[in-house]
Amino acid sequence: MVFESVVVDVLNRFLGDYVVNLDSSQLSLGIWGGDAILRNLEIKENALSQLDIPFKVRAGHIGRLELKIPWKNLYTQSVEATLDEVYLLIVPTASIKYDADKEERQLQEARQRELQRIEETKQKAAEKENPKAEKQDTFVEKLVTQVIKNLQVKISNIHVRYEDDVTNPNAPLSFGVSLQNLSLQTTDQNWNPCLLDEKAKLFFKFVRLDNLFAYWNVNSELYSNHSPDEALRYLKHSVAIQNAIPQDYHFIFRPISANAKLRMNPRSDVDFSSPKVDLVVNLPEVAVELSRPQYVSILELLGSVDMMTRNLPYRKYRPDVAVHTNARQWWRYVITGVLEVNVKPHLHMWSWQQIRRHRQHVKKYRELYKNKIISKKPAESLLKELEETERTLDIFNITMARQQAEMEASKAGLRIYRPGVKVEEEQSQGWFGWMWGWSGDSGTQTKDVKTGGFDELMTPAEKAKLYAAIGYSETAINPNLPKSFENMKISFQLIRLSLSVKESREKAEIIKLSVIDLKAMLTQRPAAQAIKISAQLSSFEVSGLPRGMTAPILLCPRHVDGMKDTTLLNLMFETNPLDTRADQKLRIESQPLEIIYDAMTVNSLSAFFMPPKDLQLDELTNATLMKLEQFRDKTSTGLMYIIETQKVLDLKINLMASYVIVPENGFYDPKHNLAILDLGHFQMSSKSRDNLPQLSAGSSTLEDIMSRAYDSFDVQLSSLQFLYTKAGAQTCTIVDIM
């Protein structure tokens, strides 16, 4: 049946972009046999090119990729996917010796991937006009549900590491992420592993995560100084196996283990007793650490990435010799680089000879591409000439020429042939047409593209069997779901999160933030196009720089006597609530906090985050300025548009009175004088919009427009006061502010 071809095609296309010398024929034979095993795959050096970062793969390895697909019992037996031993060593592009042929080949591969992405985007844009989109979405949703229902996944022994001796040669850095195990298993309702019960109305999946951690080492040993095989061995030995983590790792966050419980209702379109997706994620503890050397190293890397990116166009001219004994070569590098990259291309681009030559290349490419797409089997000479012409053009001109060629072919009534699609399928690509169209030239379209052809690839018996298995009917009408029905429900619980900042690994923590028992929930009600996000925090505590054996508590909750709800913070945001008086609803409530000023902690924290004087972050500064420039004042016409699309917000905020204690000597001691600022009780709520003037275009004043353009709120701040108490005194001075 068609599924075998789909799986082979997708795997070939996906793995082909990242794996060296993929044996497609062996993969095809394994998939068709129901058991495909790929071992010892090498990851391409330019596998990260799509991320647009100046990094390359020094060594990459996939130990085992296994797929077990029971084609004869696809709808009743499990599909098993296993990924084991993925090791990736990444280095700056500048640390890899320049190879002109390899760089050109990788550049062309990157261009082809970008062209492929553009063609896929065009294909998706065309599919949006599909009149059967709703039917397609229903089918795909049910098919995905069926795949998840029968899927078993195991991912183990993953280690991705970046090494850099270019940013700071005197202090090489390395950072990475490692994972011991991630698995997805079928269970019963008590979350015990079991075989799939086809008669059950609900099915259950248990996700387990073991030993996920991240580290950042300064003055690090570099595996990239060794051969690729030796580097991979180091990576393999450093993976967290049974908690045996190397002692020289400086963690960003310590090993995390977590689990998630997934319950799915495949018949949620007719059975409203439980959500279609009900996911519960439990995370026991997360410990995040940051030292001063790590912080400085992170800033240095951010600045270095900016310089690496700027240097990429000049890399081909860079001499591979030391600077201090080869000044002449380095000056030649500077002069040649500026001339070849900055000066000559600009002068050459605007010459009449280049303009005429460029126009001829675009015209030639358009004709060649047109001949290709209207030919069932293009000649090798045509494809070769097309490839050579393509090298002379940039992506923009290639895309424009292709679009013109497709329009000319369509206007002339010519058939457009697409790779991977049979002749009789040209007018009907269907639900899985995007899979066949992943190649670089797949975005071309026929004059009149129809839909619904995936079922034509199957026999009537196969189609009936598939529809019965996933619970889909071509004639069924989607029911009107109740507006109160929660189709998706995701719950999250974090028992404890700690964030600590310290001068060095050996010294005490400057500050430590502890979040205790954080709960969050996301629900979706599709009938009302509504989502609801809620969060509750039980406790939050901040401790400062220790004096002696005790660390001062700088922030902690103070529960009010008589309050039933002891939760420190409650937050809820909802769109399109069942209460239709508003489009959005926001609720915030908090208990009071006690805040104590500690001079040593504040001064140490300020010194910790002070960047080195010689550090320049031009890229980040420029990006921030660009964002700030996007905020501009709106005209009255713009305000009218805001009013037309404005959402009504129902807001209620209730923050109990917190207070700040400032000790006389900079650290808290009951025997010393204290200044206390009571921040007061803060309340804020939305005002009714019933009495606002109605607006009409051309006749309303700017004041009327402004009155409806912005939400109005009632803000109350009460019991704000300042207190001063002397040591040993029975009374204190109180100044009422509000």
Side-chain angles (χ1 to χ4, degrees), residues 14-23 41-44 47 62:
F14 178 76
L15 293 176
D17 287 341
Y18 303 101
V19 174
V20 176
N21 298 326
L22 177 66
D23 189 348
L41 301 176
E42 180 184 353
I43 299 176
K44 289 183 177 180
I62 299 177

Side-chain angles (χ1 to χ4, degrees), residues 526-639:
Q529 297 182 342
I531 61 169
K532 180 180 179 180
I533 302 173
S534 61
Q536 297 85 36
L537 176 61
S538 294
S539 183
F540 179 64
E541 185 176 282
V542 179
S543 58
L545 189 65
R547 291 179 181 83
M549 302 298 294
T550 305
I553 303 300
L554 308 184
L555 186 149
C556 62
R558 286 291 180 261
H559 297 296
V560 178
D561 294 336
M563 292 287 291
K564 295 182 179 179
D565 187 3
T566 58
T567 304
L568 175 62
L569 176 67
N570 278 290
L571 184 148
M572 187 276 290
F573 175 75
E574 185 177 11
T575 62
N576 297 327
L578 292 174
D579 180 2
T580 57
R581 292 178 299 178
D583 300 303
Q584 298 173 342
K585 181 186 290 186
L586 177 62
R587 299 286 185 268
I588 302 176
E589 293 186 357
S590 75
Q591 295 286 338
L593 293 171
E594 179 185 82
I595 306 169
I596 301 177
Y597 174 79
D598 185 83
M600 287 184 60
T601 300
V602 173
N603 294 337
S604 298
L605 201 60
S606 176
F608 179 95
F609 286 108
M610 184 69 66
K613 294 182 180 179
D614 58 346
L615 189 64
Q616 296 181 353
L617 298 178
D618 294 343
E619 186 75 14
L620 295 180
T621 303
N622 293 337
T624 303
L625 291 176
M626 288 179 63
K627 290 294 184 183
L628 292 176
E629 289 176 358
Q630 295 176 3
F631 292 94
R632 298 183 179 180
D633 295 335
K634 293 181 171 59
T635 62
S636 61
T637 304
L639 290 174

Side-chain angles (χ1 to χ4, degrees), residues 451-505:
T451 58
F454 174 72
D455 51 357
E456 295 177 5
L457 298 173
M458 309 172 66
T459 66
E462 289 175 335
K463 184 171 67 173
K465 188 175 182 181
L466 172 63
Y467 286 0
I470 67 176
Y472 174 77
S473 172
E474 290 182 302
T475 58
I477 300 175
N478 290 332
N480 293 321
L481 297 176
K483 287 188 175 182
S484 60
F485 174 63
E486 296 177 347
N487 190 57
M488 182 176 67
K489 182 179 179 182
I490 300 176
S491 303
F492 172 83
Q493 182 176 17
L494 173 60
I495 303 300
R496 186 180 185 88
L497 168 65
S498 64
L499 172 61
S500 59
V501 172
K502 56 178 65 177
E503 185 65 29
S504 66
R505 191 178 185 183

Side-chain angles (χ1 to χ4, degrees), residues 264-303:
M264 294 192 71
N265 178 10
R267 303 290 294 172
S268 61
D269 52 349
V270 293
D271 179 9
F272 307 139
S273 60
S274 61
K276 178 180 180 179
V277 176
D278 188 351
L279 178 65
V280 179
V281 181
N282 293 298
L283 194 56
E285 184 174 2
V286 177
V288 181
E289 302 174 356
L290 184 66
S291 65
R292 171 69 180 179
Q294 289 175 325
Y295 172 71
V296 173
S297 179
I298 291 172
L299 293 183
E300 288 178 341
L301 179 59
L302 291 175

